[in-house]
Amino acid sequence: MAKTSGNDDTGQMLAERIAALIVDTAHNAPRSLQKRLGPSEVGDPCERRLSYKELDWPRSAADGDPAASIIGTGFHTWMEEAFTRRQTTLPDGRPRYKIEERVTVQQSAIEAAIVAGSTDLYDRLTRTVWDWKLVGHTTLDKYRRGGPGPQYRTQAHLYGLGQENAGETPERVAICFVGRYHELRVHVWTERYDRQVALDALARLARIRAHLTGPEAQASNYDHTWWSQIPTSELAKCRFCEWFKPGSTDLTVGCPGVQQPAATPRHGFESLIA
């Protein structure tokens, strides 16, 4: 991972030490160590990944490159500072912006069942829940053309419910995608806040949790056959999954990812013009 120019052995050694420090710090950050599902994960279309997470199943994938996550964290801090400097007071005396404030989406007497997280920004004047996403330009174009996808959309409405639980009256949710390379590119997706989107996601999570603690799960001792009955999704982002293990034939060790259907072989004249 660490690279230097030239052939200086001392420079290479120092680069490796700094790289190791960066990786260790990133992987031991509170967000990385969090075991409880947060609003950003509840809408994950892959039930198998959610199940692995809920059971705190041993990870099978190697620790990923933390660079993008570190840059994203820095951008969130920058936006927090930007809105803090622009903070104003509403006529009723309350601050206009709630910045990086923690909200509870679902309360529970069981600590592990609580769903809570920090909203990037809530604008009381426009009653809008904002979430910042720092992405590559190709990804930004994908979201611009096709919308944010079910996971991000669900996250936005879950934070809307969190603000509602905190006594606010959200009317809109918005995701701001910012391109992170070379020139500034911004795309904002927004729609009216819909409590039902959040409630449906929490109901799905409750169903998944019930399956994980049910008698069939207990009797199976969570073996491969039991795991194979938990669906994945064509929308799953397998390469970012902590349990992704290409070629795995044992789901207790790791998941091989979404299996794409084999292409239909071509014959005759069709194959000549392919």
Side-chain angles (χ1 to χ4, degrees):
M1 182 180 296
K3 295 182 179 180
T4 63
S5 60
N7 298 313
D8 190 299
D9 291 341
T10 301
Q12 180 63 32
M13 178 187 67
L14 292 174
E16 291 173 356
R17 288 182 179 179
I18 294 298
L21 180 146
I22 292 171
V23 170
D24 180 73
T25 302
H27 292 155
N28 287 282
R31 182 185 292 261
S32 298
L33 296 175
Q34 176 181 309
K35 295 182 179 180
R36 191 173 65 196
L37 283 175
S40 64
E41 299 169 294
V42 171
D44 191 320
C46 182
E47 291 193 16
R48 189 177 294 166
R49 182 181 184 183
L50 287 174
S51 299
Y52 281 131
K53 176 79 174 182
E54 274 289 288
L55 292 174
D56 194 21
W57 204 258
R59 272 66 169 167
S60 53
D63 289 334
D65 188 326
S69 175
I70 293 170
I71 294 170
T73 299
F75 177 74
H76 276 73
T77 300
W78 193 92
M79 292 295 283
E80 179 181 1
E81 294 172 351
F83 277 93
T84 298
R85 290 194 298 271
R86 288 163 174 75
Q87 183 68 276
T88 59
T89 303
L90 298 177
D92 62 7
R94 296 181 302 164
R96 173 177 175 175
Y97 302 120
K98 295 174 68 177
I99 308 167
E100 291 290 342
E101 289 196 12
R102 192 165 184 80
V103 294
T104 299
V105 177
Q106 176 177 268
Q107 190 58 268
S108 174
I110 303 172
E111 175 67 20
I114 295 172
V115 178
S118 295
T119 311
D120 291 345
L121 182 78
Y122 178 67
D123 184 347
R124 284 186 168 123
L125 183 63
T126 63
R127 298 181 179 180
T128 303
V129 179
W130 285 90
D131 192 79
W132 318 125
K133 302 292 185 189
L134 194 65
V135 298
H137 283 187
T138 300
T139 303
L140 186 147
D141 287 337
K142 182 185 74 171
Y143 292 135
R144 179 176 55 80
R145 292 191 299 267
Q151 186 168 353
Y152 284 166
R153 179 173 181 259
T154 298
Q155 177 186 357
H157 288 282
L158 286 169
Y159 276 126
L161 179 58
Q163 291 295 345
E164 191 175 4
N165 291 340
E168 305 294 344
T169 53
E171 293 182 357
R172 298 199 72 82
V173 295
I175 302 175
C176 178
F177 296 99
V178 179
R180 65 170 173 254
Y181 296 120
H182 308 305
E183 82 253 19
L184 180 64
R185 291 183 59 195
V186 178
H187 169 68
V188 173
W189 169 88
T190 182
E191 68 180 14
R192 293 195 65 83
Y193 164 60
D194 186 347
R195 183 190 304 114
Q196 193 60 47
V197 173
L199 295 178
D200 288 346
L202 293 175
R204 171 178 176 255
L205 178 60
R207 174 179 59 77
I208 292 172
R209 285 172 167 170
H211 180 67
L212 299 180
T213 57
E216 290 184 7
Q218 302 292 331
S220 72
N221 199 29
Y222 304 101
D223 60 13
H224 170 80
T225 301
W226 181 84
W227 278 109
S228 67
Q229 297 170 359
I230 300 179
T232 57
S233 168
E234 293 182 355
L235 299 176
K237 299 176 181 178
C238 296
R239 68 190 183 98
F240 299 112
C241 179
E242 304 96 317
W243 295 273
F244 180 44
K245 188 176 178 63
S248 174
T249 57
D250 184 353
L251 294 176
T252 67
V253 175
C255 175
V258 179
Q259 304 302 302
Q260 300 296 334
T264 302
R266 303 191 222 191
H267 303 283
F269 180 71
E270 183 183 5
S271 65
L272 295 176
I273 62 174

